Amino acid sequence: MNQPRPAKKPAPPLNAERLRQLALHYVGKYATTQSKLAGYLTRKIRERGWEDERSADIAGLTEQFTSLGYINDAQFADARSRSFVRRGFGGRRLNEDLRASGIGDADAINAKAHMDDSIFTAAENFARRKRLGPFAQEAAAPEKRNKQLNAFLRAGHGFELAKRFVYAEPGDEISED
């Protein structure tokens, strides 16, 4: 017969050292931002409680990790930009992702510049991945083209660029001009 497993013992409340170990584990496992790390640590304190006489210094810990080079918001933003171009997402989608990740404007400058320089490549990658326009097997019906256009827009591309790809015939060459 299967015996029911005993209930897991709850994790002990956090103190300054346990919080630091938790943060080290998190930044070692995930590429993250100051904002995401602060949110994670706040959630863990809320879940497990706090037992130290001093209050938790999450802002100080994230600043320390930044100065040590464990967290770099600008590098995170650059990596997201390169990833979004490869996956075919546009500038609006990148801006929303960076905002949600807590990346400030100063740290996002290079990432946004990279996206601006690569917007055509991103749109081409999206069309290729979804087999739209010049990468389709056959021309799409008008209703299907509307759906494809909406997909392009949801991916964060501008209307004019999306229209160029969606309304291209299969096999057409689209230039970047």
Side-chain angles (χ1 to χ4, degrees):
M1 310 285 179
N2 285 341
Q3 295 287 332
R5 290 185 187 178
K8 272 179 118 178
K9 190 170 97 175
L14 295 171
N15 58 27
E17 181 55 32
R18 285 189 198 119
L19 188 68
R20 182 176 171 73
Q21 292 302 318
L22 201 61
L24 277 172
H25 176 65
Y26 187 79
V27 299
K29 190 171 183 177
Y30 303 106
T32 191
T33 64
Q34 285 185 0
S35 176
K36 283 185 171 188
L37 178 61
Y40 171 76
L41 295 176
T42 302
R43 179 173 54 85
K44 286 299 180 182
I45 290 171
R46 188 175 53 246
E47 289 172 359
R48 293 174 56 176
W50 186 256
E51 71 175 7
D52 216 342
E53 56 267 356
R54 293 175 299 153
S55 64
D57 185 17
I58 293 174
L61 191 59
T62 59
E63 286 297 325
Q64 181 185 29
F65 278 26
T66 300
S67 67
L68 291 171
Y70 298 161
I71 302 172
N72 188 325
D73 286 358
Q75 282 182 347
F76 181 89
D78 289 344
R80 293 300 282 180
S81 177
R82 287 189 303 276
S83 172
F84 274 39
V85 168
R86 277 191 314 273
R87 292 168 39 205
F89 295 126
R92 282 195 322 273
R93 187 88 175 252
L94 174 68
N95 291 338
E96 190 60 32
D97 182 74
L98 295 179
R99 186 194 60 73
S101 296
I103 303 289
D105 289 337
D107 290 324
I109 290 172
N110 289 339
K112 290 179 180 183
H114 174 261
M115 178 57 80
D116 290 343
D117 294 342
S118 307
I119 197 69
F120 183 82
T121 305
E124 189 175 43
N125 289 344
F126 184 79
R128 182 178 289 116
R129 189 167 58 94
K130 296 290 187 177
R131 296 189 177 117
L132 307 175
F135 304 103
Q137 295 296 319
E138 57 187 43
E143 313 84 49
K144 189 169 183 178
R145 281 190 174 168
N146 282 338
K147 287 184 178 188
Q148 292 172 347
L149 188 61
N150 286 330
F152 248 101
L153 296 175
R154 281 191 308 274
H157 295 287
F159 181 76
E160 290 302 319
L161 185 60
K163 194 167 79 170
R164 283 177 55 200
F165 276 96
V166 169
Y167 287 101
E169 294 298 318
D172 282 357
E173 286 289 323
I174 298 178
S175 62
E176 194 171 338
D177 47 29

mmCIF file of all heavy atoms in Angstrom, residues 81-130:
data_model
loop_
_atom_site.group_PDB
_atom_site.id
_atom_site.type_symbol
_atom_site.label_atom_id
_atom_site.label_comp_id
_atom_site.label_asym_id
_atom_site.label_seq_id
_atom_site.Cartn_x
_atom_site.Cartn_y
_atom_site.Cartn_z
ATOM 1 N N SER A 81 17.276 42.614 -26.312
ATOM 2 C CA SER A 81 17.145 43.202 -27.637
ATOM 3 C C SER A 81 17.622 42.223 -28.712
ATOM 4 O O SER A 81 16.939 42.008 -29.712
ATOM 5 C CB SER A 81 17.937 44.506 -27.710
ATOM 6 O OG SER A 81 17.866 45.054 -29.001
ATOM 7 N N ARG A 82 18.788 41.623 -28.510
ATOM 8 C CA ARG A 82 19.304 40.658 -29.490
ATOM 9 C C ARG A 82 18.372 39.457 -29.616
ATOM 10 O O ARG A 82 18.103 38.966 -30.705
ATOM 11 C CB ARG A 82 20.713 40.223 -29.105
ATOM 12 C CG ARG A 82 21.759 41.306 -29.338
ATOM 13 C CD ARG A 82 23.177 40.789 -29.152
ATOM 14 N NE ARG A 82 23.431 40.200 -27.847
ATOM 15 C CZ ARG A 82 23.758 40.891 -26.760
ATOM 16 N NH1 ARG A 82 23.864 42.202 -26.819
ATOM 17 N NH2 ARG A 82 23.981 40.281 -25.622
ATOM 18 N N SER A 83 17.857 38.994 -28.489
ATOM 19 C CA SER A 83 16.939 37.862 -28.493
ATOM 20 C C SER A 83 15.647 38.203 -29.239
ATOM 21 O O SER A 83 15.138 37.396 -30.014
ATOM 22 C CB SER A 83 16.619 37.452 -27.056
ATOM 23 O OG SER A 83 15.598 36.493 -27.014
ATOM 24 N N PHE A 84 15.127 39.398 -29.010
ATOM 25 C CA PHE A 84 13.885 39.800 -29.667
ATOM 26 C C PHE A 84 14.072 39.925 -31.174
ATOM 27 O O PHE A 84 13.170 39.570 -31.940
ATOM 28 C CB PHE A 84 13.356 41.105 -29.074
ATOM 29 C CG PHE A 84 12.506 40.905 -27.842
ATOM 30 C CD1 PHE A 84 12.818 39.964 -26.889
ATOM 31 C CD2 PHE A 84 11.375 41.664 -27.650
ATOM 32 C CE1 PHE A 84 12.032 39.770 -25.770
ATOM 33 C CE2 PHE A 84 10.570 41.483 -26.539
ATOM 34 C CZ PHE A 84 10.907 40.531 -25.597
ATOM 35 N N VAL A 85 15.217 40.418 -31.620
ATOM 36 C CA VAL A 85 15.480 40.510 -33.063
ATOM 37 C C VAL A 85 15.524 39.113 -33.661
ATOM 38 O O VAL A 85 14.905 38.855 -34.695
ATOM 39 C CB VAL A 85 16.786 41.280 -33.346
ATOM 40 C CG1 VAL A 85 17.212 41.125 -34.798
ATOM 41 C CG2 VAL A 85 16.614 42.750 -33.013
ATOM 42 N N ARG A 86 16.233 38.190 -33.009
ATOM 43 C CA ARG A 86 16.306 36.812 -33.522
ATOM 44 C C ARG A 86 14.927 36.170 -33.603
ATOM 45 O O ARG A 86 14.628 35.440 -34.544
ATOM 46 C CB ARG A 86 17.201 35.960 -32.625
ATOM 47 C CG ARG A 86 18.665 36.061 -32.904
ATOM 48 C CD ARG A 86 19.465 34.984 -32.168
ATOM 49 N NE ARG A 86 19.114 34.809 -30.776
ATOM 50 C CZ ARG A 86 19.627 35.506 -29.767
ATOM 51 N NH1 ARG A 86 20.505 36.457 -29.999
ATOM 52 N NH2 ARG A 86 19.258 35.268 -28.531
ATOM 53 N N ARG A 87 14.095 36.415 -32.609
ATOM 54 C CA ARG A 87 12.771 35.801 -32.558
ATOM 55 C C ARG A 87 11.746 36.546 -33.408
ATOM 56 O O ARG A 87 10.622 36.059 -33.583
ATOM 57 C CB ARG A 87 12.296 35.726 -31.112
ATOM 58 C CG ARG A 87 13.140 34.736 -30.320
ATOM 59 C CD ARG A 87 12.954 34.772 -28.829
ATOM 60 N NE ARG A 87 11.619 34.972 -28.360
ATOM 61 C CZ ARG A 87 11.319 35.487 -27.175
ATOM 62 N NH1 ARG A 87 12.272 35.850 -26.350
ATOM 63 N NH2 ARG A 87 10.082 35.637 -26.809
ATOM 64 N N GLY A 88 12.111 37.728 -33.910
ATOM 65 C CA GLY A 88 11.228 38.451 -34.819
ATOM 66 C C GLY A 88 10.291 39.434 -34.158
ATOM 67 O O GLY A 88 9.305 39.835 -34.759
ATOM 68 N N PHE A 89 10.563 39.833 -32.935
ATOM 69 C CA PHE A 89 9.703 40.808 -32.263
ATOM 70 C C PHE A 89 10.206 42.216 -32.527
ATOM 71 O O PHE A 89 11.389 42.439 -32.720
ATOM 72 C CB PHE A 89 9.645 40.545 -30.761
ATOM 73 C CG PHE A 89 8.986 39.238 -30.410
ATOM 74 C CD1 PHE A 89 9.638 38.320 -29.620
ATOM 75 C CD2 PHE A 89 7.724 38.934 -30.880
ATOM 76 C CE1 PHE A 89 9.034 37.109 -29.300
ATOM 77 C CE2 PHE A 89 7.113 37.734 -30.562
ATOM 78 C CZ PHE A 89 7.774 36.821 -29.773
ATOM 79 N N GLY A 90 9.284 43.173 -32.493
ATOM 80 C CA GLY A 90 9.601 44.549 -32.828
ATOM 81 C C GLY A 90 9.875 45.429 -31.626
ATOM 82 O O GLY A 90 9.904 44.989 -30.475
ATOM 83 N N GLY A 91 10.044 46.717 -31.917
ATOM 84 C CA GLY A 91 10.430 47.694 -30.913
ATOM 85 C C GLY A 91 9.411 47.896 -29.810
ATOM 86 O O GLY A 91 9.776 48.035 -28.645
ATOM 87 N N ARG A 92 8.127 47.933 -30.158
ATOM 88 C CA ARG A 92 7.114 48.133 -29.113
ATOM 89 C C ARG A 92 7.119 46.970 -28.123
ATOM 90 O O ARG A 92 6.983 47.166 -26.920
ATOM 91 C CB ARG A 92 5.725 48.290 -29.734
ATOM 92 C CG ARG A 92 5.486 49.657 -30.316
ATOM 93 C CD ARG A 92 4.017 49.940 -30.598
ATOM 94 N NE ARG A 92 3.259 48.822 -31.107
ATOM 95 C CZ ARG A 92 3.157 48.486 -32.400
ATOM 96 N NH1 ARG A 92 3.771 49.190 -33.305
ATOM 97 N NH2 ARG A 92 2.430 47.463 -32.771
ATOM 98 N N ARG A 93 7.281 45.769 -28.634
ATOM 99 C CA ARG A 93 7.310 44.592 -27.761
ATOM 100 C C ARG A 93 8.544 44.641 -26.850
ATOM 101 O O ARG A 93 8.462 44.308 -25.670
ATOM 102 C CB ARG A 93 7.318 43.348 -28.641
ATOM 103 C CG ARG A 93 7.187 42.047 -27.933
ATOM 104 C CD ARG A 93 5.728 41.652 -27.729
ATOM 105 N NE ARG A 93 5.632 40.348 -27.156
ATOM 106 C CZ ARG A 93 5.228 39.268 -27.797
ATOM 107 N NH1 ARG A 93 4.850 39.352 -29.041
ATOM 108 N NH2 ARG A 93 5.185 38.121 -27.194
ATOM 109 N N LEU A 94 9.690 45.071 -27.385
ATOM 110 C CA LEU A 94 10.896 45.190 -26.577
ATOM 111 C C LEU A 94 10.715 46.247 -25.494
ATOM 112 O O LEU A 94 11.050 46.002 -24.329
ATOM 113 C CB LEU A 94 12.110 45.546 -27.441
ATOM 114 C CG LEU A 94 13.397 45.830 -26.658
ATOM 115 C CD1 LEU A 94 13.921 44.557 -26.005
ATOM 116 C CD2 LEU A 94 14.441 46.454 -27.545
ATOM 117 N N ASN A 95 10.173 47.402 -25.859
ATOM 118 C CA ASN A 95 9.976 48.470 -24.873
ATOM 119 C C ASN A 95 9.086 48.006 -23.724
ATOM 120 O O ASN A 95 9.360 48.300 -22.557
ATOM 121 C CB ASN A 95 9.376 49.712 -25.536
ATOM 122 C CG ASN A 95 10.356 50.384 -26.466
ATOM 123 O OD1 ASN A 95 11.561 50.213 -26.357
ATOM 124 N ND2 ASN A 95 9.828 51.141 -27.407
ATOM 125 N N GLU A 96 8.043 47.282 -24.051
ATOM 126 C CA GLU A 96 7.132 46.782 -23.014
ATOM 127 C C GLU A 96 7.841 45.763 -22.118
ATOM 128 O O GLU A 96 7.670 45.773 -20.896
ATOM 129 C CB GLU A 96 5.901 46.153 -23.669
ATOM 130 C CG GLU A 96 4.801 45.818 -22.710
ATOM 131 C CD GLU A 96 4.273 47.015 -21.951
ATOM 132 O OE1 GLU A 96 4.271 48.139 -22.484
ATOM 133 O OE2 GLU A 96 3.870 46.829 -20.791
ATOM 134 N N ASP A 97 8.652 44.900 -22.702
ATOM 135 C CA ASP A 97 9.382 43.905 -21.928
ATOM 136 C C ASP A 97 10.393 44.566 -20.995
ATOM 137 O O ASP A 97 10.523 44.173 -19.830
ATOM 138 C CB ASP A 97 10.093 42.929 -22.869
ATOM 139 C CG ASP A 97 10.820 41.844 -22.109
ATOM 140 O OD1 ASP A 97 10.140 40.937 -21.579
ATOM 141 O OD2 ASP A 97 12.061 41.901 -22.020
ATOM 142 N N LEU A 98 11.100 45.566 -21.496
ATOM 143 C CA LEU A 98 12.084 46.257 -20.662
ATOM 144 C C LEU A 98 11.403 47.004 -19.519
ATOM 145 O O LEU A 98 11.896 47.009 -18.393
ATOM 146 C CB LEU A 98 12.924 47.218 -21.509
ATOM 147 C CG LEU A 98 13.815 46.571 -22.573
ATOM 148 C CD1 LEU A 98 14.564 47.639 -23.352
ATOM 149 C CD2 LEU A 98 14.772 45.569 -21.961
ATOM 150 N N ARG A 99 10.267 47.610 -19.800
ATOM 151 C CA ARG A 99 9.527 48.303 -18.751
ATOM 152 C C ARG A 99 9.068 47.313 -17.680
ATOM 153 O O ARG A 99 9.201 47.565 -16.486
ATOM 154 C CB ARG A 99 8.320 49.051 -19.340
ATOM 155 C CG ARG A 99 7.594 49.914 -18.308
ATOM 156 C CD ARG A 99 6.230 50.362 -18.795
ATOM 157 N NE ARG A 99 5.326 49.271 -19.105
ATOM 158 C CZ ARG A 99 4.724 48.484 -18.213
ATOM 159 N NH1 ARG A 99 4.940 48.646 -16.937
ATOM 160 N NH2 ARG A 99 3.902 47.533 -18.601
ATOM 161 N N ALA A 100 8.557 46.169 -18.113
ATOM 162 C CA ALA A 100 8.087 45.152 -17.162
ATOM 163 C C ALA A 100 9.243 44.567 -16.348
ATOM 164 O O ALA A 100 9.045 44.144 -15.207
ATOM 165 C CB ALA A 100 7.361 44.037 -17.905
ATOM 166 N N SER A 101 10.443 44.560 -16.907
ATOM 167 C CA SER A 101 11.618 44.046 -16.198
ATOM 168 C C SER A 101 12.249 45.080 -15.288
ATOM 169 O O SER A 101 13.226 44.789 -14.601
ATOM 170 C CB SER A 101 12.665 43.556 -17.204
ATOM 171 O OG SER A 101 12.166 42.476 -17.947
ATOM 172 N N GLY A 102 11.720 46.305 -15.294
ATOM 173 C CA GLY A 102 12.237 47.348 -14.418
ATOM 174 C C GLY A 102 13.503 48.006 -14.934
ATOM 175 O O GLY A 102 14.265 48.566 -14.153
ATOM 176 N N ILE A 103 13.733 47.942 -16.232
ATOM 177 C CA ILE A 103 14.922 48.558 -16.825
ATOM 178 C C ILE A 103 14.642 50.045 -17.038
ATOM 179 O O ILE A 103 13.663 50.413 -17.683
ATOM 180 C CB ILE A 103 15.270 47.912 -18.184
ATOM 181 C CG1 ILE A 103 15.476 46.413 -18.043
ATOM 182 C CG2 ILE A 103 16.483 48.592 -18.819
ATOM 183 C CD1 ILE A 103 16.717 46.002 -17.338
ATOM 184 N N GLY A 104 15.509 50.895 -16.531
ATOM 185 C CA GLY A 104 15.362 52.330 -16.699
ATOM 186 C C GLY A 104 15.801 52.774 -18.088
ATOM 187 O O GLY A 104 16.465 52.041 -18.819
ATOM 188 N N ASP A 105 15.441 54.002 -18.450
ATOM 189 C CA ASP A 105 15.774 54.532 -19.769
ATOM 190 C C ASP A 105 17.274 54.583 -19.999
ATOM 191 O O ASP A 105 17.747 54.330 -21.110
ATOM 192 C CB ASP A 105 15.161 55.925 -19.957
ATOM 193 C CG ASP A 105 13.654 55.874 -20.107
ATOM 194 O OD1 ASP A 105 13.129 54.805 -20.498
ATOM 195 O OD2 ASP A 105 12.994 56.897 -19.838
ATOM 196 N N ALA A 106 18.043 54.928 -18.982
ATOM 197 C CA ALA A 106 19.494 55.038 -19.140
ATOM 198 C C ALA A 106 20.116 53.681 -19.494
ATOM 199 O O ALA A 106 21.042 53.614 -20.308
ATOM 200 C CB ALA A 106 20.124 55.583 -17.864
ATOM 201 N N ASP A 107 19.616 52.611 -18.891
ATOM 202 C CA ASP A 107 20.151 51.277 -19.167
ATOM 203 C C ASP A 107 19.634 50.693 -20.470
ATOM 204 O O ASP A 107 20.205 49.737 -20.995
ATOM 205 C CB ASP A 107 19.813 50.320 -18.010
ATOM 206 C CG ASP A 107 20.587 50.641 -16.746
ATOM 207 O OD1 ASP A 107 21.758 51.050 -16.865
ATOM 208 O OD2 ASP A 107 20.016 50.484 -15.651
ATOM 209 N N ALA A 108 18.556 51.245 -21.012
ATOM 210 C CA ALA A 108 17.938 50.698 -22.214
ATOM 211 C C ALA A 108 18.390 51.393 -23.491
ATOM 212 O O ALA A 108 17.980 50.993 -24.577
ATOM 213 C CB ALA A 108 16.417 50.771 -22.091
ATOM 214 N N ILE A 109 19.238 52.408 -23.395
ATOM 215 C CA ILE A 109 19.620 53.188 -24.586
ATOM 216 C C ILE A 109 20.233 52.303 -25.667
ATOM 217 O O ILE A 109 19.806 52.335 -26.824
ATOM 218 C CB ILE A 109 20.586 54.331 -24.195
ATOM 219 C CG1 ILE A 109 19.830 55.391 -23.403
ATOM 220 C CG2 ILE A 109 21.229 54.948 -25.420
ATOM 221 C CD1 ILE A 109 20.711 56.458 -22.811
ATOM 222 N N ASN A 110 21.236 51.509 -25.325
ATOM 223 C CA ASN A 110 21.900 50.663 -26.328
ATOM 224 C C ASN A 110 20.965 49.599 -26.878
ATOM 225 O O ASN A 110 21.009 49.284 -28.066
ATOM 226 C CB ASN A 110 23.158 50.009 -25.738
ATOM 227 C CG ASN A 110 24.266 51.003 -25.503
ATOM 228 O OD1 ASN A 110 24.296 52.076 -26.095
ATOM 229 N ND2 ASN A 110 25.180 50.656 -24.617
ATOM 230 N N ALA A 111 20.125 49.040 -26.028
ATOM 231 C CA ALA A 111 19.192 48.008 -26.479
ATOM 232 C C ALA A 111 18.191 48.584 -27.478
ATOM 233 O O ALA A 111 17.902 47.962 -28.506
ATOM 234 C CB ALA A 111 18.454 47.410 -25.284
ATOM 235 N N LYS A 112 17.688 49.772 -27.196
ATOM 236 C CA LYS A 112 16.730 50.404 -28.114
ATOM 237 C C LYS A 112 17.408 50.811 -29.414
ATOM 238 O O LYS A 112 16.814 50.693 -30.487
ATOM 239 C CB LYS A 112 16.069 51.594 -27.434
ATOM 240 C CG LYS A 112 15.116 51.175 -26.327
ATOM 241 C CD LYS A 112 14.485 52.358 -25.640
ATOM 242 C CE LYS A 112 13.547 51.897 -24.537
ATOM 243 N NZ LYS A 112 12.868 53.011 -23.882
ATOM 244 N N ALA A 113 18.666 51.255 -29.332
ATOM 245 C CA ALA A 113 19.410 51.609 -30.550
ATOM 246 C C ALA A 113 19.642 50.368 -31.406
ATOM 247 O O ALA A 113 19.499 50.414 -32.637
ATOM 248 C CB ALA A 113 20.734 52.260 -30.183
ATOM 249 N N HIS A 114 19.972 49.254 -30.763
ATOM 250 C CA HIS A 114 20.153 48.002 -31.498
ATOM 251 C C HIS A 114 18.861 47.592 -32.192
ATOM 252 O O HIS A 114 18.872 47.181 -33.348
ATOM 253 C CB HIS A 114 20.625 46.892 -30.558
ATOM 254 C CG HIS A 114 20.704 45.554 -31.212
ATOM 255 N ND1 HIS A 114 19.710 44.611 -31.072
ATOM 256 C CD2 HIS A 114 21.635 45.006 -32.039
ATOM 257 C CE1 HIS A 114 20.029 43.541 -31.774
ATOM 258 N NE2 HIS A 114 21.190 43.747 -32.372
ATOM 259 N N MET A 115 17.743 47.724 -31.493
ATOM 260 C CA MET A 115 16.458 47.356 -32.089
ATOM 261 C C MET A 115 16.140 48.277 -33.265
ATOM 262 O O MET A 115 15.680 47.803 -34.308
ATOM 263 C CB MET A 115 15.344 47.410 -31.041
ATOM 264 C CG MET A 115 13.963 47.084 -31.591
ATOM 265 S SD MET A 115 13.808 45.481 -32.404
ATOM 266 C CE MET A 115 13.650 44.409 -31.014
ATOM 267 N N ASP A 116 16.394 49.569 -33.114
ATOM 268 C CA ASP A 116 16.138 50.506 -34.214
ATOM 269 C C ASP A 116 16.964 50.144 -35.443
ATOM 270 O O ASP A 116 16.478 50.239 -36.570
ATOM 271 C CB ASP A 116 16.439 51.941 -33.784
ATOM 272 C CG ASP A 116 15.431 52.467 -32.774
ATOM 273 O OD1 ASP A 116 14.334 51.870 -32.653
ATOM 274 O OD2 ASP A 116 15.746 53.473 -32.102
ATOM 275 N N ASP A 117 18.214 49.734 -35.230
ATOM 276 C CA ASP A 117 19.081 49.353 -36.345
ATOM 277 C C ASP A 117 18.677 48.027 -36.973
ATOM 278 O O ASP A 117 18.981 47.775 -38.137
ATOM 279 C CB ASP A 117 20.541 49.251 -35.884
ATOM 280 C CG ASP A 117 21.111 50.593 -35.458
ATOM 281 O OD1 ASP A 117 20.532 51.630 -35.823
ATOM 282 O OD2 ASP A 117 22.142 50.591 -34.742
ATOM 283 N N SER A 118 18.010 47.168 -36.213
ATOM 284 C CA SER A 118 17.713 45.803 -36.662
ATOM 285 C C SER A 118 16.238 45.553 -36.913
ATOM 286 O O SER A 118 15.825 44.398 -37.033
ATOM 287 C CB SER A 118 18.209 44.807 -35.613
ATOM 288 O OG SER A 118 19.545 45.019 -35.301
ATOM 289 N N ILE A 119 15.424 46.598 -36.986
ATOM 290 C CA ILE A 119 13.972 46.401 -37.071
ATOM 291 C C ILE A 119 13.564 45.637 -38.334
ATOM 292 O O ILE A 119 12.667 44.798 -38.293
ATOM 293 C CB ILE A 119 13.215 47.750 -36.928
ATOM 294 C CG1 ILE A 119 11.754 47.490 -36.609
ATOM 295 C CG2 ILE A 119 13.359 48.610 -38.148
ATOM 296 C CD1 ILE A 119 11.548 46.916 -35.241
ATOM 297 N N PHE A 120 14.243 45.897 -39.447
ATOM 298 C CA PHE A 120 13.913 45.174 -40.676
ATOM 299 C C PHE A 120 14.264 43.698 -40.536
ATOM 300 O O PHE A 120 13.480 42.830 -40.930
ATOM 301 C CB PHE A 120 14.638 45.782 -41.888
ATOM 302 C CG PHE A 120 14.260 45.109 -43.181
ATOM 303 C CD1 PHE A 120 13.101 45.468 -43.838
ATOM 304 C CD2 PHE A 120 15.051 44.107 -43.712
ATOM 305 C CE1 PHE A 120 12.735 44.837 -45.012
ATOM 306 C CE2 PHE A 120 14.692 43.468 -44.884
ATOM 307 C CZ PHE A 120 13.536 43.831 -45.544
ATOM 308 N N THR A 121 15.424 43.407 -39.952
ATOM 309 C CA THR A 121 15.835 42.016 -39.738
ATOM 310 C C THR A 121 14.846 41.304 -38.825
ATOM 311 O O THR A 121 14.499 40.145 -39.056
ATOM 312 C CB THR A 121 17.250 41.966 -39.127
ATOM 313 O OG1 THR A 121 18.132 42.687 -39.974
ATOM 314 C CG2 THR A 121 17.732 40.550 -38.949
ATOM 315 N N ALA A 122 14.382 41.989 -37.789
ATOM 316 C CA ALA A 122 13.402 41.390 -36.872
ATOM 317 C C ALA A 122 12.102 41.069 -37.608
ATOM 318 O O ALA A 122 11.539 39.981 -37.434
ATOM 319 C CB ALA A 122 13.135 42.324 -35.703
ATOM 320 N N ALA A 123 11.637 42.001 -38.440
ATOM 321 C CA ALA A 123 10.402 41.763 -39.194
ATOM 322 C C ALA A 123 10.582 40.603 -40.169
ATOM 323 O O ALA A 123 9.690 39.762 -40.330
ATOM 324 C CB ALA A 123 9.993 43.028 -39.932
ATOM 325 N N GLU A 124 11.742 40.555 -40.802
ATOM 326 C CA GLU A 124 12.024 39.461 -41.737
ATOM 327 C C GLU A 124 12.063 38.123 -40.993
ATOM 328 O O GLU A 124 11.525 37.123 -41.467
ATOM 329 C CB GLU A 124 13.365 39.735 -42.424
ATOM 330 C CG GLU A 124 13.670 38.797 -43.563
ATOM 331 C CD GLU A 124 14.949 39.209 -44.280
ATOM 332 O OE1 GLU A 124 15.932 39.563 -43.606
ATOM 333 O OE2 GLU A 124 14.933 39.172 -45.520
ATOM 334 N N ASN A 125 12.681 38.107 -39.822
ATOM 335 C CA ASN A 125 12.724 36.878 -39.017
ATOM 336 C C ASN A 125 11.317 36.440 -38.603
ATOM 337 O O ASN A 125 11.000 35.256 -38.599
ATOM 338 C CB ASN A 125 13.599 37.075 -37.785
ATOM 339 C CG ASN A 125 15.063 37.164 -38.126
ATOM 340 O OD1 ASN A 125 15.484 36.805 -39.222
ATOM 341 N ND2 ASN A 125 15.853 37.672 -37.192
ATOM 342 N N PHE A 126 10.471 37.418 -38.247
ATOM 343 C CA PHE A 126 9.095 37.086 -37.868
ATOM 344 C C PHE A 126 8.345 36.485 -39.059
ATOM 345 O O PHE A 126 7.663 35.464 -38.923
ATOM 346 C CB PHE A 126 8.368 38.331 -37.354
ATOM 347 C CG PHE A 126 6.984 38.054 -36.859
ATOM 348 C CD1 PHE A 126 6.779 37.504 -35.605
ATOM 349 C CD2 PHE A 126 5.871 38.332 -37.643
ATOM 350 C CE1 PHE A 126 5.505 37.232 -35.144
ATOM 351 C CE2 PHE A 126 4.600 38.068 -37.192
ATOM 352 C CZ PHE A 126 4.413 37.511 -35.938
ATOM 353 N N ALA A 127 8.469 37.125 -40.226
ATOM 354 C CA ALA A 127 7.775 36.632 -41.424
ATOM 355 C C ALA A 127 8.275 35.240 -41.798
ATOM 356 O O ALA A 127 7.471 34.374 -42.173
ATOM 357 C CB ALA A 127 7.976 37.604 -42.578
ATOM 358 N N ARG A 128 9.562 35.018 -41.683
ATOM 359 C CA ARG A 128 10.124 33.700 -42.015
ATOM 360 C C ARG A 128 9.614 32.650 -41.030
ATOM 361 O O ARG A 128 9.208 31.552 -41.426
ATOM 362 C CB ARG A 128 11.655 33.771 -41.975
ATOM 363 C CG ARG A 128 12.316 32.450 -42.362
ATOM 364 C CD ARG A 128 13.842 32.546 -42.372
ATOM 365 N NE ARG A 128 14.271 33.359 -43.509
ATOM 366 C CZ ARG A 128 14.903 34.521 -43.399
ATOM 367 N NH1 ARG A 128 15.196 35.023 -42.210
ATOM 368 N NH2 ARG A 128 15.267 35.192 -44.472
ATOM 369 N N ARG A 129 9.635 32.986 -39.754
ATOM 370 C CA ARG A 129 9.216 32.028 -38.721
ATOM 371 C C ARG A 129 7.737 31.660 -38.858
ATOM 372 O O ARG A 129 7.356 30.498 -38.687
ATOM 373 C CB ARG A 129 9.488 32.628 -37.338
ATOM 374 C CG ARG A 129 9.316 31.681 -36.190
ATOM 375 C CD ARG A 129 9.912 32.238 -34.899
ATOM 376 N NE ARG A 129 9.358 33.501 -34.487
ATOM 377 C CZ ARG A 129 8.343 33.630 -33.634
ATOM 378 N NH1 ARG A 129 7.791 32.569 -33.104
ATOM 379 N NH2 ARG A 129 7.903 34.818 -33.297
ATOM 380 N N LYS A 130 6.912 32.652 -39.192
ATOM 381 C CA LYS A 130 5.469 32.414 -39.315
ATOM 382 C C LYS A 130 5.055 32.035 -40.736
ATOM 383 O O LYS A 130 3.872 31.811 -40.994
ATOM 384 C CB LYS A 130 4.692 33.670 -38.890
ATOM 385 C CG LYS A 130 4.872 34.038 -37.431
ATOM 386 C CD LYS A 130 4.201 33.042 -36.550
ATOM 387 C CE LYS A 130 4.235 33.490 -35.108
ATOM 388 N NZ LYS A 130 3.529 32.584 -34.238
#
